[in-house]
Amino acid sequence: MAATFGRRLRRGAASTAVAALVLAALTTSQAPAATKNAAASAPEPAPPAGTPIDGGSGYFTDLPPHKRPVPHVRSHHHRGHGRFRIAMGPAEAGIPATVLAAYKNAAARLEADAPGCRLPWQLLAGIGKVESGQARGGAVDAAGTTLSRILGPRLNGHGFARIRDTDGGLLDGDTTLDRAVGPMQFIPSTWSNGGPDGAGWGADGNGDGKKDPHNIFDATLAAGRYLCAGGRDLSVAHDLHRAVLGYNDSSAYLRTVLSWYAFYRTGAYEVPDGKGVLPVHRGGPDGRSHRKHHGGDGHPAKGHAAHPHALPRPKAPKAPDRPGGSHRQTPPPAPKPAEPARLTALDPVGDKALTATADSAFATAPTVRAKDSAGRPLAGIPVRFTLTGTTGIRFPDHATTVTVTTGEDGLATAPTLHAGTKAGAFTLWATADGRTVPAVDFALTVKAAPAPAPRADALVRTSDAKVTTTAGRAFADGAVEVRATYHGKAAAGVPVTATMVTDDPDHPGHPVENDRGPYFTDPGATGAEKDRPVRTLTKLTTDAHGLLRLPKIATDTHTGTFLLRLTTADGTVLTVELQVTAPAGS
């Protein structure tokens, strides 16, 4: 990726410096708001519930051209360099090379990490346009970091939320109040610890090992993850609108972002870094538009009002004269998804009762098929899968609900479910989003994970006395008693196998079961089998104190030193010598 950055920098270097000077006069609004405070000094509670995520700040209200032709490519020839191609189109459709690469990189990452989200890069471009003017027209270095910091106004409660400093000024340079930072305008506490599980939305989009809100790759990946959070499916209008409104809870803001989103979908092309068109109109928290230039520190330049409510609503920009009259520049309507064929049923496919062990994944994913009245499969139907009850089961990214659109075969398959640690019976509902057809309920059962097998890392005899007897006689009861321990503590319930062994003559050093000398008897045998020699005994288990006393050991007529090998399931071994002497006078 570094090589790619380098090529983009060389291509746009001549204009980047100029853009940095011009764009230093611009400031952008805030994006995802603080939910937790991160500063070690002067901690302040997060804004109350209902506060807009961006603190109620303003944004660039410039709108796309009324006419949106698709950019075309023109071929040119240059002596000594052969033919090359230049993308042509409206200037507003040009996106700086590194910024465009960051949008596409974030969308590709989310396509792999959260495929059900369906995040288009053009949506990131629309938000980036109204938040920072595409990182001040592409004023970034080869790695994607802005040439100067992009800071929003101080969140002092005058027209915005009041948020005291949460980062010690590390990200925004302000040790008193917070400001939104970077090309996607994250509030410091949101970047550091305001994301899912308190980990923060910060991301490393360019693989340099750092999470920097002033880097376009890091900031756009973080914004993409925020937009996709909660199992949103951005191909569904409701989810798309709620995601955008999370940046600024304003219908005017939503229309502005969607107008740029629709504009970029009709055709956008790459321009050198620093050559992006610079927006100039900003809207205050009340949605009114006004022209205001800001320096890199977020303060208004001289001669301009500091409060967004102090300026009157300006006249709408006048469009070029056209035959038949002029046109007022208005945001185009949001794209409407095509209405799918009439849905009459959702049918389960496969087993409706699914089981998994705690803290593992379900082997089978819930699947339904959408059908019309003739039983034909329907494509393009959004199906919402929702978990109910106090369950630890989750979809990827800890989501409890996801939306999946049916394919050509009418099938919608939920992402992999993870069981969590809570055992019990739970329900998953599959519903056709926005359509009144019966839901499908899946019965999910999470079984408790089996307790880990008892382990022992040491076996020792409880006595140092020699184990001896005379041939033909049994050893004394309890002659062999051992204690099992694990990490120095008594190991109860440890399975042990006892085997009479001898060295394999064909493979020295490899013990095999002995066919002579001491032996056990089968405790479950009866009749003639009761005294049958058994030289391997299983199903022995240590007691609550880690002790195991071996059952009666008999002998035949063979004398000498014999070996008893005790082995645990995890490979701990103890070898005990058994001495058998000849009877007196033999």
Side-chain angles (χ1 to χ4, degrees):
M1 181 175 286
T4 303
F5 294 161
R7 290 195 297 272
R8 293 196 184 104
L9 180 62
R10 290 192 294 272
R11 184 168 57 225
S15 56
T16 300
V18 176
L21 294 175
V22 175
L23 289 170
L26 298 178
T27 300
T28 53
S29 63
Q30 290 72 247
T35 59
K36 294 184 180 180
N37 292 322
S41 61
E44 180 83 358
T51 300
I53 288 177
D54 67 355
S57 182
Y59 54 90
F60 285 111
T61 59
D62 296 53
L63 296 173
H66 183 75
K67 189 176 181 180
R68 298 175 292 164
V70 176
H72 61 278
V73 175
R74 185 176 298 169
S75 182
H76 294 263
H77 184 276
H78 189 276
R79 184 185 305 171
H81 295 280
R83 303 193 70 81
F84 60 97
R85 291 151 63 87
I86 298 178
M88 306 294 292
E92 292 85 350
I95 299 178
T98 300
V99 177
L100 179 60
Y103 294 148
K104 292 183 176 180
N105 173 72
R109 291 278 294 273
L110 267 299
E111 183 178 4
D113 297 344
C117 175
R118 296 174 175 82
L119 169 67
W121 67 261
Q122 293 92 340
L123 179 59
L124 292 170
I127 293 174
K129 181 69 174 180
V130 303
E131 293 294 338
S132 69
Q134 310 299 20
R136 294 177 172 171
V140 296
D141 63 17
T145 302
T146 57
L147 299 180
S148 61
R149 290 191 171 189
I150 301 176
L151 302 177
R154 306 180 81 205
L155 296 175
N156 54 14
H158 299 299
F160 317 109
R162 177 177 176 82
I163 303 177
R164 294 195 60 186
D165 175 57
T166 60
D167 67 331
L170 178 64
L171 298 178
D172 58 8
D174 194 322
T175 58
T176 304
L177 297 169
D178 263 351
R179 301 176 179 217
V181 297
M184 299 302 278
Q185 291 288 275
F186 277 84
I187 290 175
S189 58
T190 303
W191 183 267
S192 302
N193 67 353
D197 300 327
W201 291 105
D204 178 12
N206 61 356
D208 63 358
K210 297 182 293 185
K211 297 178 181 180
D212 183 2
H214 299 286
N215 181 277
I216 187 65
F217 285 91
D218 295 356
T220 52
L221 179 58
R225 289 177 175 172
Y226 167 75
L227 293 170
C228 290
R232 292 190 185 109
D233 179 356
L234 300 183
S235 67
V236 177
H238 174 78
D239 285 2
L240 172 65
H241 293 177
R242 294 315 307 167
V244 175
L245 289 171
Y247 257 89
N248 190 314
D249 194 9
S250 158
S251 58
Y253 178 88
L254 174 63
R255 289 194 299 270
T256 304
V257 169
L258 293 181
S259 70
W260 283 106
Y261 168 44
F263 176 74
Y264 289 133
R265 284 174 64 92
T266 64
Y269 60 96
E270 178 182 303
V271 298
D273 291 342
K275 288 291 187 179
V277 174
L278 311 181
V280 294
H281 295 87
R282 290 182 60 83
D286 58 359
R288 294 186 300 172
S289 176
H290 62 275
R291 187 182 187 94
K292 182 170 68 173
H293 293 286
H294 287 273
D297 61 355
H299 292 290
K302 289 184 178 180
H304 295 275
H307 195 287
H309 294 282
L311 294 176
R313 183 194 303 270
K315 295 181 179 179
K318 185 178 180 181
D321 292 337
R322 297 179 176 83
S326 61
H327 296 274
R328 183 183 180 88
Q329 188 180 28
T330 58
K336 296 182 179 179
E339 182 67 25
R342 187 178 300 277
L343 175 70
T344 59
L346 277 183
D347 289 342
V349 176
D351 198 348
K352 288 178 60 179
L354 308 177
T355 303
T357 302
D359 205 22
S360 67
F362 282 81
T364 304
T367 302
V368 296
R369 176 177 275 116
K371 294 181 179 180
D372 62 13
S373 58
R376 294 183 296 257
L378 292 178
I381 303 296
V383 176
R384 185 175 293 270
F385 294 91
T386 305
L387 292 161
T388 62
T390 55
T391 170
I393 303 172
R394 291 292 183 269
F395 291 109
D397 296 329
H398 308 287
T400 57
T401 180
V402 296
T403 300
V404 179
T405 303
T406 59
E408 294 297 328
D409 53 4
L411 294 178
T413 300
T416 300
L417 284 164
H418 192 275
T421 58
K422 184 180 180 63
F426 310 98
T427 302
L428 171 71
W429 292 97
T431 57
D433 203 10
R435 292 164 176 80
T436 56
V437 296
V440 177
D441 61 306
F442 292 86
L444 307 181
T445 301
V446 179
K447 296 181 178 180
R455 303 182 60 187
D457 54 16
L459 280 177
V460 295
R461 285 187 62 202
T462 58
S463 171
D464 294 332
K466 291 184 178 181
V467 184
T468 182
T469 191
T470 303
R473 294 185 178 181
F475 290 91
D477 289 342
V480 178
E481 185 183 61
V482 297
R483 175 182 287 109
T485 59
Y486 186 67
H487 293 173
K489 296 182 180 180
V494 176
V496 178
T497 298
T499 306
M500 302 297 177
V501 299
T502 186
D503 204 31
D504 186 346
D506 296 327
H507 300 87
H510 292 76
V512 295
E513 185 180 85
N514 203 346
D515 60 357
R516 62 180 66 189
Y519 62 90
F520 303 103
T521 56
D522 187 351
T526 58
E529 294 292 320
K530 187 174 183 180
D531 295 326
R532 181 178 63 85
V534 175
R535 291 188 166 86
T536 297
L537 206 59
T538 59
K539 299 181 181 179
L540 301 173
T541 307
T542 60
D543 65 14
H545 304 288
L547 297 175
L548 171 63
R549 176 175 290 186
L550 268 65
K552 178 182 177 180
I553 303 175
T555 65
D556 56 18
T557 59
H558 296 87
T559 61
T561 300
F562 299 89
L563 300 179
L564 168 62
R565 183 182 176 93
L566 304 174
T567 308
T568 67
D570 50 352
T572 302
V573 176
L574 172 65
T575 301
V576 180
E577 289 188 352
L578 306 178
Q579 300 287 341
V580 180
T581 61
S586 62

